[in-house]
Amino acid sequence: MDIDEADARRHLCSALRGQAECVADRWVQLQREQAALGSGMTEAELREEADALVEQLSSGLQGNLAADHVVTAHAGLRQAVIEMSLRRARRGAAPTATALAVLVLKEALLEAVQRETRDAASLFSAALLINRVLDAAGAMSFATYVEGREEIIRRQSRQLLETSTPVVQLWDRVLGVPLVGTLDTSRTQVVMENLLGAIESGEARVAIIDITGVPTVDTAVAHHLMQTVNAVRLMGADCFISGIRPPIAQTIAQLGIDLSAILTRATLSDALEAAIALIAAPAGQTIPVAGR
């Protein structure tokens, strides 16, 4: 650390210690003046956030960490920036607004340092130090925001998939999964997990996957279905696929997809009837794979 940076850090730390409330108040005011930066947060929420970040910033600068690494290496300051970013991500704020909310703290800090010294060289060094520290904080807040939003989107997508692929009990120890729309790898995984969990918890003996609402069946879709059927069988249950309409049957035949080992039925009612018969059948008795 050179003499100029040491002097700048001394003035900045002094300002943060003696003017912490003033700095936090000014930062809140600057955010309130630019409504987008506040992300719809109340003044009390902004003040609580400001107090936490200013306190951790003061703590981080009092150590020997290089200015470029204060934000990333000081655990308390890093956590304060991360929490601020995630809180705003959950509020739906824009990532640039979140980063700018951190950067406007520069003005509040420089004003505080000006109250400590009027020396031009010291103020210039302090401005450089503030820029280096808060530019790093702004970059971290932006990256954290993006990661946080992606996680929220992934969680919401997962919840949507689970909602769109319910497992319902059709009969005693008979489960049904009505599929509507495109069946891809992600959705197949959700179907499989939900169905296997329901088989285990409900001690089901038969599962019916109804594809009446699936617009097309290609090689990939057939592969996904066979994976699910095999997983169900490994759980000790039988599995029917219903909703094999004429166009789909024709497509499967033309593609040369072999579903001969899978129990299929034209309609859900046919599959349910066969499932009930299968449960009621004496041990060891089987039913035709593609019979109706």
Side-chain angles (χ1 to χ4, degrees), residues 1-266:
M1 186 185 302
D2 58 33
I3 296 175
D4 289 341
E5 183 176 328
D7 180 65
R9 186 172 293 215
R10 179 174 59 81
H11 285 302
L12 184 54
C13 286
S14 176
L16 285 168
R17 284 194 303 270
Q19 305 177 55
E21 289 189 11
C22 184
V23 170
D25 284 340
R26 179 59 175 154
W27 188 28
V28 170
Q29 180 188 354
L30 290 169
Q31 292 181 79
R32 298 286 286 177
E33 288 175 357
Q34 302 181 56
L37 302 187
S39 305
M41 297 173 63
T42 66
E43 187 164 344
E45 290 173 327
L46 288 174
R47 179 54 197 261
E48 181 181 356
E49 187 176 77
D51 286 339
L53 201 144
V54 168
E55 178 184 355
Q56 294 303 327
L57 181 60
S58 177
S59 175
L61 286 169
Q62 288 175 24
N64 295 320
L65 295 170
D68 295 336
H69 299 127
V70 170
V71 176
T72 55
H74 187 274
L77 180 55
R78 182 177 67 252
Q79 188 60 33
V81 173
I82 289 173
E83 289 178 356
M84 172 184 174
S85 302
L86 292 178
R87 186 180 303 113
R88 289 161 187 255
R90 288 190 289 267
R91 295 288 182 93
T96 50
T98 301
L100 288 172
V102 175
L103 298 180
V104 295
L105 177 57
K106 292 180 180 182
E107 185 175 337
L109 288 175
L110 193 55
E111 289 174 359
V113 173
Q114 284 179 318
R115 290 190 284 270
E116 294 287 324
T117 179
R118 289 290 180 177
D119 180 70
S122 295
L123 288 174
F124 179 73
S125 296
L128 291 178
L129 175 62
I130 291 170
N131 279 335
R132 290 172 65 188
V133 173
L134 291 187
D135 283 348
M140 174 180 281
S141 71
F142 187 91
T144 302
Y145 174 98
V146 172
E147 292 173 3
R149 288 297 295 172
E150 288 177 350
E151 176 58 30
I152 290 171
I153 291 170
R154 283 193 295 269
R155 186 167 61 249
Q156 290 174 340
S157 297
R158 175 79 180 192
Q159 292 170 346
L160 182 60
L161 282 175
E162 291 178 349
T163 301
S164 64
T165 53
V167 178
V168 296
Q169 183 163 345
L170 301 175
W171 199 266
D172 181 34
R173 292 180 294 174
V174 179
L175 301 176
V177 183
L179 298 179
V180 178
T182 303
L183 188 64
D184 56 17
T185 303
S186 299
R187 194 174 182 200
T188 302
Q189 188 64 31
V190 172
V191 170
M192 191 181 300
E193 291 176 4
N194 290 349
L195 182 54
L196 297 183
I199 289 172
E200 181 181 27
S201 61
E203 299 182 350
R205 283 188 51 193
V206 182
I208 300 173
I209 301 174
D210 183 67
I211 63 171
T212 304
V214 177
T216 58
V217 173
D218 55 18
T219 305
V221 171
H223 177 69
H224 293 322
L225 290 173
M226 286 188 283
Q227 280 187 321
T228 304
V229 170
N230 290 335
V232 169
R233 287 174 174 168
L234 288 174
M235 292 288 293
D238 288 298
C239 187
F240 285 88
I241 294 180
S242 65
I244 306 293
R245 305 182 306 281
I248 288 182
Q250 185 177 2
T251 300
I252 291 174
Q254 290 173 345
L255 291 174
I257 299 170
D258 184 13
L259 296 181
S260 60
I262 298 177
L263 301 171
T264 61
R265 292 296 183 272

